């Protein structure tokens, strides 16, 4: 109700907690008669009686109890707003709203979130999607941070800030052969990739563009079995096909530990970067201030 008078609601809230008109009027520094008029105006606006008198005390009606629940929530939220803007911790459990680009490694997301999940006083809301839609949600304050494997587009008007929070060398991994289980042969990059079946990130990836350039300059022509923009799918294809796959090791952490996949070559010249993208805001989320190290 856009035209609800919140002064009237505050008066009602005080009377509901004091249960006596006189005491509530003293606390509000107005006369009992003026307070009574304000209550009647609120009741008229809501269309329901909020109190009934029993043994010289005011008792809430059913409508009054419903109104008090909402009034409690409204004024609690108002106090939390003031505390947040003053930098004072609130008693309620704050929520950190995190967006993650759909192509970002799930293992990396879990590793980034684990320290936050251990904070019992903090709630986490995680959503995934395409970069464009996540940045839109970040701009309209629906998200506090976006995790991505690429920086946000350079747009000073938008106010996006991309912080590189981690990086990792890319690797070529594959299923081990029976011989490979006894002794892993390290590939010579890029020479040994001639005619090799490969599973690669899509051409939208900065890492893929750099990888293609190295092979082009060396005159090496591999067999490209698949181009995948989803790291989870790339991991599954590496497990099931036996072909070489270009991934950051964090994507296949469990497979490398179990021996289901082996690292055939580390490509130090190719780096996968991980970014935390935020907006220029005066009131940053406290959890981000500590994790990302900005005031």
């Amino acid at each position: 109700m856009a035209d609800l008078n919140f002064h009237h609601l505050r008066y009602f809230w005080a009377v509901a907690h004091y249960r006596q008109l006189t005491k509530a009027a003293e606390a509000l520094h107005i006369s009992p008669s003026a307070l009574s008029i304000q209550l009647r105006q609120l009741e008229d606006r809501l269309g329901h009686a909020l109190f009934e008198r029993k043994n010289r005390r005011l008792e809430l009606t059913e409508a009054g109890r419903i109104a008090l629940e909402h009034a409690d929530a409204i004024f609690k939220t108002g106090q939390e707003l003031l505390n947040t803007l003053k930098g004072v911790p609130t008693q309620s459990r704050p929520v950190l709203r995190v967006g993650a680009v759909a192509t970002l490694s799930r293992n990396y997301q879990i590793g980034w979130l684990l320290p936050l999940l251990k904070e019992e006083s903090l709630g986490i809301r995680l959503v995934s999607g395409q970069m464009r839609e996540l940045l839109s949600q970040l701009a309209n304050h629906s998200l506090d941070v976006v995790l991505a494997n690429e920086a946000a587009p350079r747009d000073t008007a938008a106010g996006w800030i991309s912080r590189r929070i981690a990086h990792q060398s890319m690797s070529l991994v594959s299923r081990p052969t029976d011989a490979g289980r006894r002794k892993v042969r390290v590939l010579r990059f890029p020479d040994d990739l001639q005619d090799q079946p490969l599973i690669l990130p899509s051409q939208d990836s900065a890492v893929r563009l750099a990888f293609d350039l190295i092979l082009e300059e060396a005159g090496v022509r591999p067999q490209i079995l698949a181009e995948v923009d989803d790291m989870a799918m790339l991991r599954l294809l590496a497990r099931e096909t036996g072909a070489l796959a270009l991934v950051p090791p964090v994507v296949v952490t469990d497979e490398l530990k179990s021996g289901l996949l082996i690292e055939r070559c580390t490509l130090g010249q190719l780096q996968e970067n991980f970014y935390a993208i935020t907006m220029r805001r005066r009131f940053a989320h406290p959890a981000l201030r500590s994790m990302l190290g900005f005031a």
Side-chain angles (χ1 to χ4, degrees), residues 21 25 30-38 40:
L21 197 68
I30 62 174
S31 68
S33 59
L35 180 56
S36 181
I37 292 172
Q38 303 291 337
R40 283 200 299 272

Side-chain angles (χ1 to χ4, degrees), residues 265-285:
C265 183
T266 300
L267 311 181
Q269 65 270 59
L270 294 180
Q271 298 280 325
E272 174 82 328
N273 294 311
F274 301 96
Y275 294 91
I277 304 170
T278 58
M279 295 289 295
R280 291 188 180 90
R281 286 178 182 157
R282 184 176 177 185
F283 305 105
H285 195 288

Side-chain angles (χ1 to χ4, degrees), residues 30 43 74 91 103 132 155 169 183 222 234 239 258 263 270 293:
I30 62 174
E43 289 177 328
I74 289 169
Q91 293 182 347
T103 57
R132 181 180 297 179
D155 187 341
S169 295
K183 184 178 179 180
L234 200 153
R239 288 170 48 177
S258 67
E263 199 167 16
L270 294 180

Side-chain angles (χ1 to χ4, degrees), residues 174-230:
S174 70
R175 271 190 342 216
T177 62
D178 290 339
R181 293 182 188 276
R182 295 189 296 270
K183 184 178 179 180
V184 177
R185 186 177 75 85
V186 177
L187 290 172
R188 293 174 303 155
F189 178 77
D191 298 342
D192 285 349
L193 298 189
Q194 181 67 38
D195 298 324
Q196 279 281 349
L198 291 183
I199 300 169
L200 300 175
S202 71
Q203 294 186 0
D204 293 333
S205 165
V207 166
R208 171 63 188 282
L209 294 177
F211 180 82
D212 286 349
L213 180 60
I214 293 172
L215 266 60
E216 182 67 28
E217 291 177 345
V220 173
R221 299 288 186 272
Q223 298 179 36
I224 300 176
L225 295 186
E227 299 174 293
V228 186
D229 66 358
D230 184 290

Side-chain angles (χ1 to χ4, degrees), residues 251-262:
V251 172
V252 290
T253 298
D254 295 337
E255 287 79 7
L256 292 175
K257 285 181 179 179
S258 67
L260 188 61
L261 293 174
I262 57 174

